[in-house]
Amino acid sequence: MTDVERRDSDGDGQRAGGAPKEVARRALGVPDLSLVVLVGATGSGKSSFAARHFKSTEVVSSDFCRGLVSDDENDQSASGDAFDLLHYIAGKRLAAGRLTVVDATNVQSEARGQLVRLAREHDVLPVAIVLDVPEQVCAERNATRADRVGLPRRVIQRHQRELRRSLRHLEREGFRKVHVLRGPAEVDSAEVIRERRFNDLRHLTGPFDIIGDIHGCRSELETLLGRLGYALVRDGLGRAVDAVHPEGRTAVFVGDLVDRGPDSPGVLRLVMGMVGAGHGLCVPGNHENKLGRHLKGRKVQHTHGLAETLAQLEKEDDAFRAEVAAFIQGLVSHYVLDGGGLVVCHAGLPEKYHGRTSGRVRSFALYGDTTGETDEFGLPVRYPWAEDYRGRAAVVYGHTPTPRAGWLNNTICLATGCVFGGAMTALRWPERELVDVPAEQVWYEPAKPLTTEAPGGADGRPLDLNDVAGRRTVETRQMGRLAVREENAAAALEVISRFAIDPRLLPYLPPTMAPCATSKEEGYLEHPAEAFAGYRADGVRHVVCEEKHMGSRAVVLVCRDDAVAAGRFGVPKGVSGALYTRTGRPFFDDPELTERVVRRVRECVGEAGLWAELETDWLLLDAELMPWSLKATGLLRQQYAAVGAASRAVFPGALKALEAAAARGVEVAPLLERQRERAVDAAAFTAAYRRYCWRVGAQTAVGVADGGADGVGDGPPEGGEVPDGTASATLPERAAASGKTAAPERATGRTPERTTPPERAADPGGLDGIRLAPFQILAVQGRSLAALPHPEQLALIDRLVAADAAMASREGAPAADGTPDRPGLLTTTRRIAVDTEDEQSVAAGIRWWLELTADGGEGMVVKPEQALVRQADGRLVQPGVKCRGREYLRIVYGPEYTRPDNLRRLRSRHLGHKRSLALREYALGLEALDRLAEGEPLWRVHEAVFAVLALESEPVDPRL
């Protein structure tokens, strides 16, 4: 509303007798997001006023812009370019939601008109502050400035004339607030008060119960409020006039309280009472807007249910009708709530309008947008703005009837057609739970059947190329804004569009893991001492050392049943979870085998009692799937087995020839010794990877998907067929020696793990020989568990493994050694706790690692006992570092890497980029889990997931 504030005073701020006037403090209300236009002649003190009341960054000065384009603030010939620059800067600030002050004379209507249009373009209020200072004062001030000593008096006089002509017309020009300060005294006494916008209720955090379109259905509204836990308050006539929630919740109404239904006055009485008592909030609907115009005497058509409302209001007294008119007049187009995370309006609102104030914003909030077309029923076709919505705030609205409420891109329409015989729906916030009550009857026949074509009522497109293409910046809670380069995004798009599983089942990708600092120990490239010292330097005293399983990193999504999977993740019936690699690819081509693994894990969760304990219907596990050969056949055959086969073919003959030469007296002793050492190294290389390969029960019947492209140092790639670890040569070696090749598979870089293959008959279910080693529950329904301390995580995992063992015991008779005839799927993760400041504890941790790796283990992962640890300066500590065994590293660096010369060269490892990559991917993974747990839309979750995959294509030494 227009607010014109003027104070008359003598032009020079003096009394007739010459004594200074007593001037009261002037409070100038300025919306906290607005375009403030200072108006006054040159020398009136605009720049000084701006400097006193606004931050320097908020003020855009024409003089400053003139200096930028011409190096001379008084060069009037540069004014055109200067004002182009001024408008550009002001526009950028307004677009970013920043209050902006224009410091220029602005005494001409044309200049002000451009600024008013700029404010409207960015949907903010234009505010004028006029400094009406006498000509003599302006002249005296200009005379004290060296750059304006020669300013002609006529310039000031012209400014004064134009100012006088403008004062009466500022409101009509479009300024919503006009403050006129007459004389230096009033200018000096002024105080700028920043006012919160009426739609800015970010300080209200709820909890809220947001209620969809009511349309006069008072009885259903009372029932719904009861379902939500509100206690109705009635007047002496038994009419509901308020409703109070015992837990202090606030009801928020999305509008369309009236028309079509049986008791619009009863609905108004209840809602007005709740709003007046502070128990509710309400935004206007298009039906209230039309009723309000009628009550103000405007001419409107009595259609779409207005005639029924007017007939009902005729039975009320004048005081009630006046109260209704005032209530509607005071409604605000939309509200921004809960720290900016929630927007409530009637017909929806794109992100660019959130918190803005203009006729355009109000119109969209009331009516939405249309395509300009009409459907077969003669109704306007509404533009599906929600399908394109990508805002961070959840938008809750109504207006367009739909048979069910459903989330679409962080928006939800609660208009479920109660008056048409549907239901009245409420959304509990922040719980994101829907509560509804059915209509008592069809109160008004709809013009067309309820359909799911309305924005928010349909599934819409879950993902969009624009969400991930090009250079991206992802906001994370743990590391702020993280950038994804365009070329990395393109590489990730290739993987996720061609090879990844259904994106609805891909809520998380695990991060890469950095190795510990390079060891200086003789004969070692990696050693636990460096891991412990590194964490001690970061201020981490207690760490957990976990056995590093030699398999392929796996993420398992497990739902209680396929109905939960369909309801929560939107997948087809028959799918109850997912098992995928760290690049989002399915482990098995056969969906049935995936379902068998998921089913077994689900049974373990139930056996361990975790469904009830964690209060969830689904959970997400981080794990390692073994054997490595299950997904690494391509790499084994093409790279490792080729080396093994070549060494077996070459070294026996070469050694025999050298030994024969030595027997003849030829001086070949140094060469013979060297070749013997090389043969030993080659045999050790073959033995190193052979530990992680064995057959699985139904493998011959199971196709294996192409592996990912992770780096070798992060675990072995994923492949298919499994070599026979008991033969004199592995199957891949025999294939390599015979010239046979397998179908090409891409290496993923996962690292091997030691697990003894069971000598059992094949499991008819196809899981015999497959091992899954879970080590963390990442998330459950409604919360992320990534911050749970690792000892607590492993305790939960131990219960899963124990449940699996118990079920395996019941399913088969024990073998001669007492183990179950059908071993379970799950494998435990051995660990040891270490105090990095206790030398004995550190020594015990080193001994444990030496025993583990001497026994064929890959190594260990060292993690802070507490998750999400930060250094003293606030930076994240590495969530884990891997310390791989001496023999295992032969697979990574080659058979002869342990030779002193090679070790010396390999110690020049550059770990900085790898560590940075690990932390960035970790922060993005945590962000994805938080968004998943909070029920954010798929595109928001995938923004972080996709970024992890994109960062994986950054160039880094794959051996690290």
Side-chain angles (χ1 to χ4, degrees), residues 478 776-779 783-793 864-869 922 926 929-930:
Q478 304 302 329
Q776 188 172 17
I777 300 178
L778 296 163
R783 58 195 170 117
S784 167
L785 298 184
L788 199 66
H790 289 292
E792 295 181 34
Q793 284 278 5
E865 188 176 272
Q866 300 296 318
L868 281 174
V869 179
Y922 176 57
L926 293 176
L929 293 175
D930 286 336

Side-chain angles (χ1 to χ4, degrees), residues 483-747:
V484 176
R485 291 182 294 186
E486 183 174 1
E487 58 269 29
N488 298 137
L493 186 62
E494 168 78 6
V495 173
I496 208 164
S497 61
R498 294 184 59 194
F499 306 113
I501 65 171
D502 187 329
R504 293 170 293 186
L505 294 172
L506 186 61
Y508 171 80
L509 286 178
T512 188
M513 183 174 293
C516 64
T518 304
S519 175
K520 297 179 181 178
E521 293 280 337
E522 185 66 30
Y524 290 93
L525 192 60
E526 295 180 8
H527 193 274
E530 276 70 30
F532 299 142
Y535 277 122
R536 184 167 59 249
D538 288 337
V540 179
R541 177 167 183 173
H542 298 286
V543 296
V544 177
C545 304
E546 298 179 10
E547 173 186 14
K548 193 173 192 315
H549 297 282
M550 178 52 174
S552 300
R553 188 76 171 267
V555 178
V556 190
L557 175 64
V558 185
C559 297
R560 192 187 284 263
D561 52 42
D562 56 3
V564 171
R568 174 59 183 86
F569 298 98
V571 293
K573 187 175 181 181
V575 176
S576 64
L579 174 67
Y580 57 89
T581 72
R582 67 179 300 263
T583 54
R585 304 166 188 239
F587 263 100
F588 308 113
D589 283 340
D590 182 5
E592 179 54 34
L593 181 54
T594 298
E595 275 298 308
R596 285 199 291 270
V597 173
V598 170
R599 187 183 310 126
R600 183 68 178 192
V601 177
R602 176 168 55 247
E603 292 168 354
C604 295
V605 175
E607 179 83 5
L610 294 182
W611 292 124
E613 182 175 326
L614 298 176
E615 298 178 338
T616 186
D617 287 329
W618 60 267
L619 54 79
L620 194 64
L621 286 168
D622 204 352
E624 200 83 6
L625 186 69
M626 296 167 284
W628 172 36
S629 50
L630 188 64
K631 295 289 286 180
T633 300
L635 186 70
L636 283 166
R637 283 179 172 170
Q638 297 169 17
Q639 183 171 326
Y640 302 133
V643 174
S647 66
R648 286 180 174 277
V650 171
F651 280 120
L655 291 174
K656 185 176 181 180
L658 287 171
E659 288 169 351
R664 293 195 306 269
V666 179
E667 184 55 43
V668 294
L671 180 60
L672 176 59
E673 181 62 25
R674 181 184 174 193
Q675 295 308 311
R676 284 172 174 166
E677 291 174 355
R678 294 187 65 198
V680 170
D681 288 340
F685 172 82
T686 302
Y689 70 76
R690 202 182 268 178
R691 293 186 181 98
Y692 313 117
C693 308
W694 63 81
R695 290 188 180 278
V696 296
Q699 187 156 14
T700 55
V702 178
V704 186
D706 182 29
D710 312 277
V712 169
D714 262 358
E718 297 118 21
E721 249 178 81
V722 183
D724 183 358
T726 61
S728 59
T730 64
L731 291 181
E733 288 168 357
R734 281 178 271 171
S738 64
K740 297 179 181 179
T741 59
E745 299 180 52
R746 186 174 299 181

Side-chain angles (χ1 to χ4, degrees), residues 16-30:
K21 298 177 66 172
E22 293 291 336
V23 180
R25 298 292 293 174
R26 284 288 307 276
L28 312 182
V30 172

Side-chain angles (χ1 to χ4, degrees), residues 710-857:
D710 312 277
V712 169
D714 262 358
E718 297 118 21
E721 249 178 81
V722 183
D724 183 358
T726 61
S728 59
T730 64
L731 291 181
E733 288 168 357
R734 281 178 271 171
S738 64
K740 297 179 181 179
T741 59
E745 299 180 52
R746 186 174 299 181
T748 65
R750 308 306 309 144
T751 328
E753 155 123 355
R754 182 198 62 79
T755 300
T756 304
E759 299 297 331
R760 299 285 183 261
D763 175 9
L767 300 184
D768 186 57
I770 297 177
R771 294 289 177 270
L772 185 71
F775 50 84
Q776 188 172 17
I777 300 178
L778 296 163
V780 296
Q781 186 174 322
R783 58 195 170 117
S784 167
L785 298 184
L788 199 66
H790 289 292
E792 295 181 34
Q793 284 278 5
L794 291 170
L796 293 173
I797 297 301
D798 286 346
R799 290 169 56 185
L800 286 177
V801 176
D804 185 51
M807 290 190 296
S809 296
R810 294 196 299 266
E811 291 166 358
D817 59 0
T819 60
D821 187 48
R822 289 180 56 194
L825 171 70
L826 303 187
T827 296
T828 190
T829 296
R830 293 179 288 175
R831 66 270 192 181
I832 184 174
V834 171
D835 182 342
T836 62
E837 297 182 7
D838 184 328
E839 292 184 4
Q840 292 184 348
S841 180
V842 168
I846 293 174
R847 285 196 304 271
W848 188 76
W849 178 81
L850 290 171
E851 293 168 1
L852 188 69
T853 55
D855 195 31

Side-chain angles (χ1 to χ4, degrees), residues 217 220 262 417-422 438-444:
C217 299
E220 287 90 339
C418 180
V419 75
F420 302 128
E440 296 179 359
Q441 66 178 72
V442 177
W443 299 104
Y444 195 93

